[in-house]
Structure formats: structure tokens, C-alpha cells
Amino acid sequence: MTRHVILGAGPAGVIAAETLRKADPKAEIALLGDEPEPPYSRMAIPYFLIGKVGEEGTHLRKGKGHFESLGIKLVRGRAAAVDAKGRSVKLQDGASLGFDRLLIATGSHPLKPPIAGMDAPNVHTCWTLEDARAIAKLAKSGTRVLQIGAGFIGCIIMEALASRGTQLTVVEMGDRMVPRMMTEKAGGMIRQWCEKQGVKVHTGAKVESLRAGAKVGELVAKLSNGKEVTADLVICAAGVAPNIDFLKGSGIAAERGILVDAAMQSSVPGIYAAGDVTEAVDFISGKRTLNAIQPNAADQARIAAVNMAGGQATLPGSLAINVLDTL
């Protein structure tokens, strides 16, 4: 009986586990997640903040007992190291999981720029359901919110914050909003639209420091353009990076992300990767790139799972496509 271990219970991990079960009805499948919630989609968090869905609306599978019915074992824990030769994963609590085939789908983590005062209580990322609960408590009508970052994720979060009636200020270090996706003209159009909706926008600027304000819980941000912004809540949406630190010394080749081939296999036979954590070939350019979008994670997960089950499948490259709507 083949033992499959999947690290990461996001979209890539869930789709891979289900695909494996279809391909191999008898295999052992363990799906490791490090959050107390059922597997959920981070991309649904803004809809939770807007109020379109409750917490259960973020869950990737709504049916009760879904994973149990498929014989997929949900394991709570976080990977600390991978022993590629010994075919085991060591967890942070000291336990270990043995495997015949391993899928690394550990996703990304939000980046926090090295700014003095970023450890203040009212500074949050918007990455987990736990983050979202904290933000929902603070982001009320009239709350002064400073958001650091106006990229793709930032613009989605911004819409959720605006819908809650907050007084929103956005600071983006790029020369325009959504600089990685938009031209100067398009980014400028987004800015004009947002400003018409009452959002204050600073582009080409950085937050240099955060300090306590005159009132309890109040924060004052000093910007690189010389201006200051007072806020009750600061949200950092300054980008993400793959969760690969635990792979040091494993022999699994990684640069910015895990290097995978067209079969989603890493440099170590029998060890695969999918989703945000991979540095895979781009379909258009043929160059390796990080492509942290959910459709890419789903495609890579299916390919990896088919191959883990003994099939033959390849992905000709990832597509950097997306849809952005804000305000």
C-alpha cells in the first residue's frame, strides 16, 4: 500500500488528495495542515470580510465528513524538516510522517517589511482566517485604516475594507497601483477610480516607521514623501514568499521556490510540489517564475497527483492570468 503525504491543506493539497484517491482507491493519504480550521481558501477571506459569506463559506469542501468519507486523513501540524533519503517528514511537535510519495504544497507567507513599529497590536496581515477575525473586530464604520501595499491582493482587501465603511488610506511603493499587473495608464485609472470612492492613495511612497499616537491604540505612520497618516488599524499587504525554509539540508533543489519539472517532480524522485511554493516554467516565456494564483495551484496539484499515483501527466507551463475587480 503506497503512503502519500501532502504538506499543505490549501487548494493544491485538497485537489491533490482527491485526485490521488480517485487514481488509487487503496493508498494511504495524509493531508497536513497547520491551522485549526477545516481546509479553506485564502482567496475567499475578502468575501468573508465584505459579509458575502460566513466562515464556512471559505471552506474548500462544504460537506460534513468529506475527507473522512474519502479516507483522507487530516493531520494537524507543521513540517519542520524533510528527510528525502529516509522518506519521512519531521513535524515541529517532534512527530514524524513516513511516505513513499510526498507532495509539498505549503503555499506562501505574507511579507512584513522591516519597519519600526510593525509589531504593534493593531498591525495585521490579511492572510489567515485568524487575521480576518481580528480585522473584522477592528474595521468598523469610521475606523481609520492604513493599508501598506496596493498590489493584486491589496486591491481585493481594499474593497473589503471600503465596504465596511472605513476611512481608508493606501500606500504603495510602486509608481502606480497594481504595478506588477498594470501599465502606468491602467494603474493610474485604478487610482482615479479609488480616489473617487473616497480612498486616499499614496504611490511611490513607503511607510518608514510606525509610532503610538495620542489615543490608546492609535498609530501614526511616517511616509517617505514627508507626510504622516494616523490610523486605528494598519494592514500589511506587501507581498508573499514561498514557505520553503524547512527544506534546508533536504537536498530538494530550490531557489525562490521549489524547482519542478513538467511532471511537478522536484530534483528528488518521488517528491513533488504544487502551488505557490513552486518555481515552475511559464507557458509564454519558458522561464522559471513564481505564479501564486489559485488556478495554477489547482492545475499543478492534479498533474502532481496523477504522477504520484503512477500515471503520466505533464503541464506545458503555468499561465500568469488573473481577474481583478476592486471597489
Side-chain angles (χ1 to χ4, degrees):
M1 188 183 294
T2 307
R3 298 171 301 165
H4 297 291
V5 170
I6 299 169
L7 306 182
V14 167
I15 289 169
E18 293 170 342
T19 305
L20 276 169
R21 178 52 73 223
K22 285 180 183 177
D24 189 347
K26 295 182 179 179
E28 285 185 14
I29 302 172
L31 181 61
L32 184 79
D34 66 350
E35 293 183 56
E37 346 287 344
Y40 69 93
S41 169
R42 302 202 192 286
M43 292 311 297
I45 287 175
Y47 302 103
F48 165 68
L49 285 173
I50 289 170
K52 287 183 179 178
V53 299
E55 282 194 21
E56 68 285 349
T58 69
H59 297 169
L60 287 163
R61 299 296 178 261
K62 310 294 192 290
K64 191 175 182 181
H66 172 78
F67 297 100
E68 292 84 350
S69 69
L70 292 174
I72 297 168
K73 184 180 180 183
L74 295 177
V75 180
R76 173 88 182 276
R78 188 177 181 88
V82 172
D83 181 351
K85 289 182 180 178
R87 292 313 218 210
S88 70
V89 178
K90 185 179 179 181
L91 307 186
Q92 286 187 346
D93 64 4
S96 63
L97 293 171
F99 65 84
D100 298 305
R101 300 282 187 275
L102 176 68
L103 176 67
I104 302 168
T106 45
S108 306
H109 62 274
L111 297 173
K112 270 194 171 184
I115 298 168
M118 283 291 282
D119 55 351
N122 286 359
V123 179
H124 294 275
T125 55
C126 187
W127 195 243
T128 65
L129 271 175
E130 187 178 359
D131 291 335
R133 292 183 197 112
I135 291 167
K137 286 180 182 177
L138 293 167
K140 307 292 185 183
S141 180
T143 300
R144 296 166 298 176
V145 180
L146 169 63
Q147 180 178 297
I148 302 171
F152 178 78
I153 292 173
C155 279
I156 296 172
I157 297 168
M158 182 176 66
E159 180 176 37
L161 293 168
S163 75
R164 299 179 73 87
T166 65
Q167 297 177 31
L168 184 58
T169 301
V170 179
V171 177
E172 166 58 48
M173 65 185 291
D175 63 354
R176 58 192 181 274
M177 295 184 74
V178 207
R180 290 185 64 213
M181 286 176 67
M182 300 296 165
T183 62
E184 186 176 347
K185 187 170 184 178
M189 290 169 70
I190 294 173
R191 175 177 182 161
Q192 288 170 21
W193 177 257
C194 291
E195 288 178 335
K196 283 179 183 176
Q197 313 306 310
V199 179
K200 294 176 183 175
V201 181
H202 298 268
T203 55
K206 298 180 182 179
V207 174
E208 292 187 333
S209 65
L210 293 169
R211 68 176 190 272
K215 298 177 182 177
V216 176
E218 190 176 72
L219 291 166
V220 179
K222 181 185 176 185
L223 308 187
S224 59
N225 60 12
K227 296 180 180 179
E228 290 192 338
V229 177
T230 302
D232 307 300
L233 169 64
V234 175
I235 294 181
C236 184
V240 298
N243 290 319
I244 58 172
D245 285 353
F246 70 99
L247 296 177
K248 288 175 183 174
S250 68
I252 299 168
E255 291 178 9
R256 291 185 302 159
I258 298 171
L259 304 181
V260 292
D261 61 19
M264 294 299 109
Q265 188 166 228
S266 73
S267 61
V268 178
I271 297 181
Y272 297 77
D276 290 17
V277 79
T278 63
E279 193 173 347
V281 170
D282 178 82
F283 180 77
I284 304 297
S285 69
K287 297 177 181 178
R288 289 190 178 275
T289 184
L290 298 175
N291 189 11
I293 60 172
Q294 189 164 315
N296 179 59
D299 288 343
Q300 291 185 342
R302 290 190 191 96
I303 297 296
V306 168
N307 293 316
M308 290 168 73
Q312 289 187 319
T314 57
L315 194 67
S318 68
L319 282 170
I321 57 174
N322 227 321
V323 175
L324 171 64
D325 66 86
T326 188
L327 298 175

